[in-house]
Amino acid sequence: MARQSIEIAPGAVYYPGYLDRAAQEALLADVGAAIATAPLYHPRMPRSGKSFSVRMTNCGPLGWVSDIDGYRYQATHPETGAPWPRIPELLMSAWRELSGVPFPPEACLVNYYAEGTRLGLHQDRDENELAAPVVSLSLGDAAIFRFGGTKRGEATRSVKLVSGDAFVFGGASRLAYHGIDRVLTSTSTLLPQGGRINLTLRRVTPAE
Ligand code: MD6
Ligand code: FE
């Protein structure tokens, strides 16, 4: 299918409306099943131990976790001790279509934003395969996504991400700072409870 894509910065490509409503519903059902086995929880910040306002879980052989000891990838859920569920096939096919790399992702971080939650400006740099982009998909309420340069303090711009949008962060933008300033409540009917889900697919270990 021909898809609209907008290069926001070198290597940072935005695909508005990547998933149609039926695909969003199918993906939401898969993500709901994953959350039923790997419940959303509030990670804690390194050092301070303060909770993130966003709740998280993961799918895939590895999952990103954060606690008082730091950020890392691990194979099991920090609260249940169980392996993370598989990455849904719809996400694997999005990765094949959008990532531009011939190897599979290993982690899918699931972020859930209830009303009033946000995610501070950060880099995704806990992966050891920076040749692979991070592929992001959004479901539910719209959000204001802030995107900057690879150094803190560089100019930023904002993009409104709505349900079904994809965003690929690779190349010169792989280590760009980004975050979610706010969620625009009641702007989508996809999630019965409201709020926003963001899914980010990552390759964690070196591919070769
Ligand atoms: C979010 N996204 O959209 C947060 N990270 O809720 C991210 O932190 C992110 O969208 C790396 C690459 C793409 C992203
Ligand atoms: Fe990120």
Side-chain angles (χ1 to χ4, degrees):
M1 199 202 298
R3 301 199 185 273
Q4 191 193 355
S5 66
I6 301 167
E7 194 164 29
I8 303 274
V13 186
Y14 171 45
Y15 295 84
Y18 177 73
L19 297 176
D20 64 19
R21 176 74 184 207
Q24 293 170 42
E25 285 171 0
L27 179 56
L28 180 62
D30 290 344
V31 171
I35 290 171
T37 32
L40 291 164
Y41 68 99
H42 285 285
R44 289 177 180 277
M45 311 270 193
R47 295 183 299 277
S48 72
K50 188 172 175 291
S51 275
F52 285 67
S53 62
V54 175
R55 290 195 293 157
M56 300 185 183
T57 188
N58 290 270
C59 301
L62 291 171
W64 185 87
V65 301
S66 177
D67 61 21
I68 195 140
D69 298 325
Y71 305 139
R72 64 188 171 277
Y73 281 93
Q74 65 180 44
T76 55
H77 191 292
E79 292 185 351
T80 69
W84 305 106
R86 303 176 65 84
I87 299 176
E89 187 49 40
L90 256 160
L91 291 174
M92 296 298 284
S93 81
W95 174 271
R96 287 191 293 270
E97 189 171 48
L98 299 178
S99 71
V101 295
F103 46 80
E106 294 170 300
C108 176
L109 175 63
V110 180
N111 288 349
Y112 176 70
Y113 299 78
E115 188 175 348
T117 62
R118 56 187 301 282
L119 186 65
L121 219 55
H122 67 276
Q123 292 172 297
D124 285 40
R125 56 167 194 198
D126 299 321
E127 300 75 28
N128 295 313
E129 181 50 274
L130 296 177
V134 177
V135 172
S136 147
L137 290 164
S138 294
L139 296 175
D141 285 338
I144 305 298
F145 182 70
R146 183 184 291 275
F147 178 87
T150 55
K151 293 193 190 73
R152 218 178 248 290
E154 284 180 47
T156 62
R157 57 182 289 187
S158 293
V159 178
K160 183 162 102 175
L161 294 181
V162 309
S163 197
D165 287 354
F167 206 112
V168 179
F169 251 64
S173 292
R174 178 63 181 74
L175 295 177
Y177 277 90
H178 59 279
I180 293 290
D181 286 349
R182 63 195 182 96
V183 174
L184 307 176
T185 302
S186 305
T187 51
S188 166
T189 56
L190 187 72
L191 273 58
Q193 75 276 38
R196 170 174 184 265
I197 293 172
N198 177 258
L199 306 158
T200 43
L201 294 157
R202 298 107 188 281
R203 176 75 192 197
V204 179
T205 66
E208 295 303 330

